[in-house]
């Protein structure tokens, strides 16, 4: 980097290089292909019966990346939401905290907006300090619709749309039967998944999610609606059309058929 061309003073150049070095040391990205994930998990009271499944799933997810060659190119935040949005630092998967407990309400809309803002800030920071453009994925897990007095659906939909337009892959995962993939489609998520059997949450987090993230690390561009499409028993018909994930046919209903919302199709918007 020629600091003179950047019109930096000698002192500013030293500070600039230290910041870049600190960023590299902090995350130790192993290549200029950087993958950023915000996994936003519902920890409201209704998730209390699934806490063990989530913890076991996160432990399996963490273990599955041991020895994975591209692991140091991935930064992930395991953030939560209930009465509010509770962000966690972006870290290598080997460093994530797998603790989980459930309590509180479901500020779903508010957390989508705040999660998007938190993710945007980190993406800008990484881009500015590494000179690389990361591939970004936002995954929201929830077992129920919004039941709070903060946030609204309009702002949440606008946040999802903004992420889609920015090239982020947006994924909505519905846990249990109180909410389903239709909610994610109406909100504008590129991909939606139904995990109806709560006992399969651990497998979903520890196997299916990690498998798709590994597949993403092989790509030069964001997978979009193809994210999760290579999971066992899945079917991918159209990157911007319908169906990107199905295990019900082969796994006895463990996961249901899922759909991906076409970005250009906004006909559902007026029905909300």
């Amino acid at each position: 980097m020629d600091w003179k061309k950047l019109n930096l003073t000698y002192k500013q150049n030293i500070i600039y290089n230290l910041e870049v070095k600190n960023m590299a040391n902090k995350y130790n990205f192993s290549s200029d292909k950087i993958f950023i994930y915000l996994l936003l998990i519902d920890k409201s009271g209704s998730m209390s019966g699934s806490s063990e499944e989530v913890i076991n799933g996160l432990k399996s997810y963490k273990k599955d990346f041991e020895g994975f060659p591209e692991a140091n190119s991935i930064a992930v935040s395991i953030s939560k939401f209930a009465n509010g949005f509770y962000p966690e630092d972006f870290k290598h998967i080997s460093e994530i905290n797998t603790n989980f407990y459930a309590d509180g309400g479901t500020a779903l809309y508010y957390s989508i907006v705040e999660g998007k803002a938190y993710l945007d800030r980190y993406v800008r920071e990484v881009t500015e300090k590494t000179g690389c453009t990361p591939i970004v994925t936002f995954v929201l897990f929830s077992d129920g619709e919004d039941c709070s007095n903060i946030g609204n659906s309009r702002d949440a939909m606008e946040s999802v749309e903004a992420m889609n337009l920015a090239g982020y892959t947006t994924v909505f995962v519905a846990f249990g039967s109180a909410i389903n993939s239709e909610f994610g489609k109406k909100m504008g998520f590129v991909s939606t998944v139904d995990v109806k059997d709560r006992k399969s949450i651990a497998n979903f987090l520890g196997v299916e999610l990690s498998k798709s993230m590994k597949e993403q690390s092989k790509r030069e561009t964001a997978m979009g609606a193809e994210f999760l499409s290579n999971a066992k028993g899945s079917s991918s018909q159209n990157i911007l059309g319908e169906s990107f994930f199905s295990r019900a046919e082969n796994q006895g209903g463990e996961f249901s058929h899922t759909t991906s919302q076409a970005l250009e199709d906004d006909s559902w918007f007026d029905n909300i």
Side-chain angles (χ1 to χ4, degrees), residues 60-62 64-65 68 93 203-216 227-228:
S60 297
Y61 166 80
K62 184 175 181 177
D64 198 51
F65 280 88
F68 182 62
I93 296 173
N203 183 74
F204 183 83
L205 293 172
V207 178
E208 310 298 353
L209 178 62
S210 61
K211 187 185 300 183
S212 290
M213 288 178 62
K214 288 179 178 181
E215 175 62 27
Q216 174 65 88
F227 191 79
L228 291 173

Side-chain angles (χ1 to χ4, degrees), residues 103-123:
D103 184 41
T106 310
L108 181 56
Y109 297 141
Y110 173 83
S111 298
I112 291 174
V113 174
E114 292 300 309
K116 185 260 186 189
Y118 181 65
L119 179 58
D120 282 345
R121 286 193 294 270
Y122 182 73
V123 170

Side-chain angles (χ1 to χ4, degrees), residues 39-53:
L39 307 183
L40 182 53
I41 304 177
D42 185 348
K43 73 173 212 73
S44 61
S46 58
M47 285 289 292
S48 59
S50 302
S51 293
E52 186 175 350
E53 284 291 324

Side-chain angles (χ1 to χ4, degrees), residues 55-128:
I55 292 171
N56 290 338
L58 291 176
K59 287 180 177 178
S60 297
Y61 166 80
K62 184 175 181 177
K63 184 175 179 59
D64 198 51
F65 280 88
E66 293 178 0
F68 182 62
E70 286 79 30
N72 286 339
S73 293
I74 300 171
V76 60
S77 168
I78 310 292
S79 295
K80 321 296 197 308
F81 72 94
N83 292 328
F85 169 64
Y86 311 114
E88 292 287 342
D89 290 343
F90 286 89
K91 301 177 180 179
H92 285 319
I93 296 173
S94 62
E95 301 170 341
I96 64 170
N97 186 339
T98 60
N99 293 336
F100 181 86
Y101 71 92
D103 184 41
T106 310
L108 181 56
Y109 297 141
Y110 173 83
S111 298
I112 291 174
V113 174
E114 292 300 309
K116 185 260 186 189
Y118 181 65
L119 179 58
D120 282 345
R121 286 193 294 270
Y122 182 73
V123 170
R124 284 195 299 269
E125 181 183 355
V126 170
T127 302
E128 291 172 359

